[in-house]
Amino acid sequence: MKITLHVWRQKNATSKGGMETYVVDGVSADMSFLEMLDMLNEQLIAEGKEPIAFDHDCREGICGTCSLMINGVAHGPDSGTTTCQLHMRSFQDGDAIHIEPWRSRAFPVIRDLVVDRSAFDRIIQAGGFISINAGGAQDANNLPIPKPDSDAAMDAAACIGCGACVASCPNGSAMLFVAAKIGHLAHLPQGQPERAMRARNMVAQMDAEGFGACSNHYECEAVCPKEIPVKFIAKMNRDFMKASLCSES
Amino acid sequence: MSLGTTMKSSIGAKVLMAITGILLSLFVVGHMLGNLQVFLGPEKLNHYAETLQGLGPILWVIRFGLLTILLLHIGAAFRVTRMSKAARPVDYHQRKDLATSFAARTMMVSGVLLLLFVVYHILHFTTHTIDMAGVGELHDAEGRHDVYGMVVGGFQHLPTTAIYILAMLVLCVHLSHGVSSLLQTLGVRKESNASTVDKIGPIFASIIFIGNVSMPLAIFIGLIS
Ligand code: HEM
Ligand code: FES
């Protein structure tokens, strides 16, 4: 396959950046999208040019490091799929593909397609944890958890924190990420003691990082590689309002 | 957390918009039901109008309350919109919408148009400052303000009828996203009821549209005279 790529190039966080066009020939349909970019990078290095910087780590769809806005869709055209799990068979010979970094005030571009997602880490640090001393491991089933609750907690915990929700949201909102993290712990007994504080602090940190508000466009749900549903946002709203209005502090 | 701090947060501002949105929507329903009495003839409508006027100070309390609700709604809308615009300072060359709707993307546009319409509507039928058909100051046989005559006279005039019908289209668009959206914002929407919740807005908006448009249309084509 012969593919024309329009790629965002930016030297560093402060330089201006712009779209550049490249042609890669001999792409196999069995290659992953990132392997196709590796191929282009080898070609660029051979030509004595700077390779394109992009984020990746596991290349198995589990770590949340890969990103990329591919033809205007976060993680590209296959639903429920990370960019690293996207394959060139989803494209056709002769296609032109636009690749841009995640765009968000809270995710500044560091170089080319790489953005700084540490805003997510700071949101987790604000409350996405359980601080009780758990002691030794308990016997299984010592702490009964109803099946629907454990299922819901696992659905939320599937979030890999890639930031596709922010990237695709017309408002640059991080609500699906934050809702998944709050919802995950809110469904488990271990999460109850700090539940109200967690909801307040994580939402406050989300706002402080400069993410937008939710207008219920549901673009996040449509691109989430882990298919996290927006019902977690509804649940987070309930938790946050209860925590804010019914708390004693 | 204080109520003020809560309402300034991204979620609080949306909840404020949802609650004021419900109150405004209920007002829209009440306003429509009251006005549909135009189909029952002049006696009923003029009596209804006189009853409302007869509320005296209570009417002013209601007006002031509605204005406050509307201002809170608009304030929250601007806050949310400003936050969201600031959240993406550099736009994409290409971004495809997969799930959203025309109504959802144009809430601010439909909102501002509605505000303009509300101002026009008050200048038209409440203060009679704008009276293109010259029917604002009629009185019926019992000496009451002839609201029936004013409405019927007003909507025999094409530009007036057209403005009202277009405004109702805008209201319909705003509510078709707004009412479904507020149910999600307030945490009512779940996996089990999602498809119903997503239909409630468009259905509610259509009922309001049909009810409100039926009046100017019936008058304009001469069903009511
Ligand atoms: C008859 C008057 C109005 C009614 C019945 C009404 C109703 C609603 C409802 C039910 C919502 C949904 C709230 C939510 O998503 O939780 C909403 C949202 C909204 N309204 Fe209104 N509204 C009215 C007037 C206005 C005006 C005058 C403006 C602006 C000048 C406005 C701007 C907005 C915006 C921007 C949103 C959505 C914001 C977002 O979700 O990002 N509305 N409205
Ligand atoms: S590289 Fe780990 S999820 Fe894509």
Side-chain angles (χ1 to χ4, degrees), chain A residues 26-240:
Chain A
V27 175
S28 149
D30 293 331
M31 279 182 178
S32 76
F33 195 82
L34 296 185
E35 281 166 341
M36 183 274 296
L37 285 182
D38 292 338
M39 192 173 152
L40 169 62
N41 273 347
E42 305 221 334
Q43 190 178 307
L44 290 177
I45 292 167
E47 290 166 12
K49 295 182 186 148
E50 274 294 319
I52 300 165
F54 60 89
D55 266 327
H56 61 103
D57 188 15
C58 70
R59 296 205 181 195
E60 290 184 331
I62 56 174
C63 74
T65 308
C66 60
S67 57
L68 306 187
M69 202 71 173
I70 301 170
N71 284 342
V73 179
H75 289 301
D78 289 5
S79 69
T81 307
T82 53
T83 290
C84 60
Q85 291 287 291
L86 174 68
H87 285 79
M88 293 311 293
R89 52 182 165 270
S90 300
F91 298 91
Q92 306 214 318
D93 188 24
D95 273 2
I97 304 177
H98 284 73
I99 311 176
E100 294 179 71
W102 286 171
R103 293 289 186 198
S104 158
R105 177 162 70 124
F107 289 166
V109 174
I110 301 169
R111 183 187 179 95
D112 295 339
L113 302 169
V114 178
V115 300
D116 175 1
R117 280 172 284 187
S118 56
F120 271 11
D121 300 335
R122 290 187 291 275
I123 294 175
I124 296 291
Q125 283 161 9
F129 50 79
I130 289 169
S131 47
I132 47 168
N133 188 344
Q138 299 192 36
D139 284 345
N141 296 334
N142 240 6
L143 195 60
I145 303 173
K147 176 80 169 126
D149 287 348
S150 72
D151 283 352
M154 290 309 284
D155 285 350
C159 170
I160 52 177
C162 62
C165 43
V166 175
S168 64
C169 176
N171 298 349
S173 169
M175 296 259 180
L176 192 60
F177 167 75
V178 180
K181 297 305 174 192
I182 290 177
H184 162 202
L185 298 176
H187 274 106
L188 297 173
Q190 295 91 334
Q192 300 315 310
E194 292 161 303
R195 182 169 174 177
M197 202 175 74
R198 177 178 307 116
R200 269 181 303 167
N201 293 351
M202 290 180 80
V203 169
Q205 188 62 34
M206 167 180 84
D207 289 352
E209 295 291 346
F211 291 106
C214 177
S215 293
N216 304 323
H217 292 287
Y218 306 154
E219 291 294 325
C220 51
E221 181 183 73
V223 299
C224 176
K226 298 298 154 187
E227 302 181 316
I228 309 232
V230 292
K231 72 168 183 195
F232 287 109
I233 300 182
K235 188 176 170 63
M236 167 176 69
N237 290 359
R238 287 201 305 269
D239 267 23
F240 173 77

Side-chain angles (χ1 to χ4, degrees), chain B residues 78-96:
Chain B
F78 276 100
R79 181 173 180 81
V80 165
T81 307
R82 198 157 13 87
M83 273 179 113
S84 301
K85 284 266 170 295
R88 176 155 305 132
V90 181
D91 214 344
Y92 292 106
H93 285 246
Q94 238 185 41
R95 196 186 68 76
K96 264 197 211 110

Side-chain angles (χ1 to χ4, degrees), chain A residues 171 213-217, chain B residues 14-15 17-22 24-25 27-28 70 73-74 77-78 80-81 84 104 107-116 118 171 174-175 177-179 181-183 185-186:
Chain A
N171 298 349
C214 177
S215 293
N216 304 323
H217 292 287
Chain B
K14 274 308 301 266
V15 167
M17 195 143 54
I19 293 171
T20 52
I22 293 179
L24 291 171
S25 302
F27 164 75
V28 166
L70 186 64
H73 185 78
I74 297 173
F78 276 100
V80 165
T81 307
S84 301
M107 287 304 273
M108 209 15 143
V109 179
S110 56
V112 169
L113 289 175
L114 276 181
L115 183 63
L116 293 177
V118 168
L171 179 62
H174 198 78
L175 292 178
H177 175 70
V179 171
S181 169
L182 74 87
L183 292 170
T185 301
L186 297 179

